[in-house]
Amino acid sequence: MNSVNVFLALIVGLVLAPAASGLIAGVDRRITARLQSRLGPPILQPFYDVFKLFGKERLLSNYWLAFCSFVYLVAAATATVLFFFQSDLLLIFFVQAVGSVFLVVGALTVPSPYSQVGAHRELLQILTYEPLLVLVIVGIYMVTGSFKVSAIYELNTPLLFHLPLMFLVLGYALTIKLRKSPFDISASHHAHQEIVRGVYTEYVGPYLGIIEVAHWFEIALVLGLVSLFWSTSVIGIILLLMITYFVEILVDNSTSRMTWKWMLGSAWAVGLSFSVINLVWLHYR
Amino acid sequence: MNPISEFIKKSRIKSPWVLHFDCGSCNGCDIETLAVLTPVYDVERFGIINVGNPKHADVFLVTGTVNHRNKKVLKNLYDQIPDPKAVIAIGACGLSGGVFREAPNVVGGVDKVIPVDVYVPGCPPKPEAIIDGVVKALELFAAKQEQ
C-alpha cells in the first residue's frame, strides 16, 4: 500500500464509516417507524442524540466506566481501520472482541443489578456469536486460502456462491451483534424493558455517546464483512447490504425478545450445522 | 461560539429523552402521558424517547401528589439525572397537591421538593398539552444556555 492509499483507508475507516453507520441507524429508525404506521424521527436523529450526550454532565459511579468506554471505542475504531487496510480477518475480530469484553467489564464494575444482569447477558451474546464469526472466517479461508481481506478481492466469483449457508450463519451473528430483536437481550434501543438498558445502564452522558459511536464502528465492520460476500461488483455490494439490512429490520420488527437459552441453543444449532454442511461441501466438491 | 457547541445546543432541543415518575397519582395523568408515546401522537418524530433510567434522561415528567414516602425517591431520581435537565409537573396534583393537598401525609406539589421548570395543568391534562409542556421546557433549556 502506498501512502495515499493508507491515508484514504484511514479517512474512510475513521470518519466515513461511522458517519455512514449513523445515517443507517437513522434510516433504520425511520423504516421501523413506518412499519409501525408512525412517521419516525429525522434521519439525522442518531447524530442529535450523540451530540446531545456529549454536552451532558459527567456523572460517573465508577471511573472504570470512562476507561472502558474509551477502550471499546478505540478497539472498534482499530478493527474498522484494519478492515479498510484489507488486513487479517482473524486479527480484526480479536481486536473487536477485546472492545466488546471491555464494555462488559465496565458494566460489571458498578453494583447496579440492571448493569450486572446486562453484562452477564452481553457475555452470553459474545459467547454465542464469536464462534459463528470465527467459523465464517474459516469458511472464507477455505475458499481463498488466506485470512487476508485483500485475498477476497482477488476472487473472480462472489464469495456468496461458495458459502451460501455461511452467509445465513453470518446473518444470525449479525442480528445478535446489532442488538436486534429477538436477540436484544442485553440492551436494546427501546429502553423500557425489564433490565432498563442492561449493559448501558450505568454509562452516563458523554460516555454513553462514546459507546454509541463505537457501536457505529461495529455496524460498519459487520456490514463490511457482509459486503465481502459480493466483492466482485459495486452494485452487488450495495444490493447485498441493502437487502441484508432490510431483512434485519423486518426480523427486528416481527419478532419478540427471546431468552438467552433460546438464543444460545438456536444460534449454535443452526450456525454449527450450516457451517459443517457448507465446509464439507466445500471440501468435497 | 464554535460550530460543535452550536450543534450540541441544537441537538439538546432535538433529542429530549424523557423519564416519567408517578408520585402516586390516580393513574389519569399517567395514562395520558403514556398515550403521548403511542403511534397516535408519535413523539419519536420529535426525538423524544421514554427511557426508564434517570442517568440517560434529560426531561423529568412527574405526575401525582408528593407525599412523605415518595419525596425521597423523587429527590433521588432528580439527583441522578445529569445536567442540563428540565422538570415538568403534570396535572393538578403535581402542581399543588390537587384535591389531596390538605391530607396529613401529603407534602403538596412537586416544586416543594425539586425545582420545576414547566407546569402542565389539567385533571388530567390532554396529551397535546403534555407535548406542549415538553416543547416549552426545551425552549427554556435553550434560553438558559444563552445566559
Side-chain angles (χ1 to χ4, degrees):
Chain A
M1 260 186 161
N2 58 33
S3 56
V4 177
N5 279 352
V6 168
F7 183 70
L8 270 182
L10 272 177
I11 291 287
V12 170
L14 285 178
V15 181
L16 291 184
S21 302
L23 278 181
I24 290 173
V27 173
D28 179 348
R29 279 175 74 173
R30 190 99 180 165
I31 294 176
T32 302
R34 294 323 293 248
L35 289 174
Q36 297 165 357
S37 354
R38 295 188 285 122
L39 198 63
I43 305 276
L44 289 180
Q45 188 63 43
F47 295 100
Y48 295 136
D49 288 349
V50 163
F51 275 89
K52 173 205 74 181
L53 287 171
F54 283 147
K56 293 210 71 156
E57 189 189 3
R58 293 153 197 236
L59 274 182
L60 278 180
S61 10
N62 190 326
Y63 289 110
W64 274 89
L65 286 169
F67 175 71
C68 291
S69 63
F70 277 112
V71 174
Y72 183 42
L73 175 67
V74 169
T78 311
T80 313
V81 168
L82 282 175
F83 181 83
F84 285 103
F85 278 154
Q86 308 199 350
S87 176
D88 198 308
L89 276 173
L90 278 180
L91 178 67
I92 291 169
F93 274 91
F94 291 141
V95 171
Q96 173 269 328
V98 169
S100 309
V101 168
F102 265 89
L103 178 69
V104 176
V105 170
L108 283 173
T109 53
V110 281
S112 154
Y114 296 124
S115 186
Q116 294 275 327
V117 172
H120 290 129
R121 291 186 181 184
E122 177 71 20
L123 274 181
L124 283 161
Q125 285 191 355
I126 294 173
L127 173 75
T128 312
Y129 72 73
E130 288 288 335
L132 300 184
L133 284 179
V134 170
L135 278 172
V136 170
I137 294 170
V138 167
I140 293 174
Y141 175 81
M142 283 182 70
V143 175
T144 62
S146 163
F147 283 118
K148 290 267 187 189
V149 176
S150 50
I152 298 166
Y153 286 109
E154 285 159 14
L155 289 177
N156 294 322
T157 50
L159 211 50
L160 191 62
F161 297 155
H162 302 285
L163 300 165
L165 292 178
M166 278 308 197
F167 188 71
L168 295 178
V169 176
L170 180 65
Y172 234 91
L174 183 66
T175 319
I176 301 173
K177 187 76 212 161
L178 292 179
R179 304 183 199 292
K180 293 280 190 202
S181 207
F183 306 123
D184 53 348
I185 64 168
S186 75
S188 95
H189 174 69
H190 312 285
H192 245 308
Q193 54 166 324
E194 50 172 332
I195 50 170
V196 187
R197 263 218 100 176
V199 73
Y200 294 154
T201 305
E202 291 291 320
Y203 291 96
V204 187
Y207 305 108
L208 187 66
I210 286 172
I211 283 182
E212 199 59 39
V213 173
H215 190 58
W216 292 349
F217 274 111
E218 288 199 326
I219 294 177
L221 181 65
V222 175
L223 289 181
L225 194 66
V226 170
S227 77
L228 290 182
F229 278 74
W230 206 295
S231 55
T232 48
S233 80
V234 178
I235 299 169
I237 289 178
I238 293 170
L239 270 181
L240 190 67
L241 286 183
M242 280 170 67
I243 293 170
T244 314
Y245 206 82
F246 186 68
V247 171
E248 290 292 342
I249 295 173
L250 270 187
V251 169
D252 187 22
N253 279 288
S254 54
T255 53
S256 55
R257 179 157 26 88
M258 285 294 177
T259 61
W260 68 266
K261 278 183 186 166
W262 187 86
M263 175 184 71
L264 191 64
S266 72
W268 277 15
V270 173
L272 295 182
S273 52
F274 275 22
S275 304
V276 168
I277 295 168
N278 206 148
L279 293 182
V280 168
W281 174 71
L282 263 186
H283 189 75
Y284 284 107
R285 87 190 153 143
Chain B
M1 192 181 277
N2 67 46
I4 291 180
S5 49
E6 196 69 46
F7 190 71
I8 287 178
K9 219 177 75 194
K10 195 178 158 206
S11 303
R12 274 192 192 127
I13 300 166
K14 291 209 168 238
S15 154
W17 289 1
V18 160
L19 175 71
H20 168 219
F21 179 56
D22 171 10
C23 283
S25 86
C26 68
N27 217 7
C29 296
D30 302 309
I31 288 175
E32 300 297 335
T33 307
L34 292 173
V36 171
L37 302 160
T38 58
V40 178
Y41 294 96
D42 182 27
V43 285
E44 209 197 340
R45 70 203 145 121
F46 305 123
I48 302 177
I49 295 179
N50 186 18
V51 295
N53 182 355
K55 298 194 172 203
H56 297 173
D58 302 297
V59 177
F60 192 19
L61 302 180
V62 190
T63 56
T65 43
V66 181
N67 57 42
H68 288 289
R69 278 245 175 234
N70 63 30
K71 68 179 182 194
K72 295 180 201 110
V73 183
L74 182 65
K75 186 79 176 69
N76 191 358
L77 283 174
Y78 178 77
D79 289 339
Q80 286 189 55
I81 301 176
D83 280 326
K85 56 191 165 189
V87 180
I88 304 177
I90 294 173
C93 299
L95 266 55
S96 63
V99 291
F100 307 105
R101 66 188 177 280
E102 282 165 359
N105 58 335
V106 166
V107 179
V110 176
D111 53 7
K112 294 262 172 26
V113 183
I114 56 174
V116 174
D117 296 294
V118 176
Y119 298 88
V120 181
C123 184
K126 293 169 83 171
E128 288 89 341
I130 296 172
I131 300 175
D132 270 359
V134 174
V135 172
K136 196 104 199 162
L138 294 172
E139 281 165 9
L140 287 177
F141 232 36
K144 248 191 257 176
Q145 297 287 311
E146 297 287 338
Q147 289 159 11

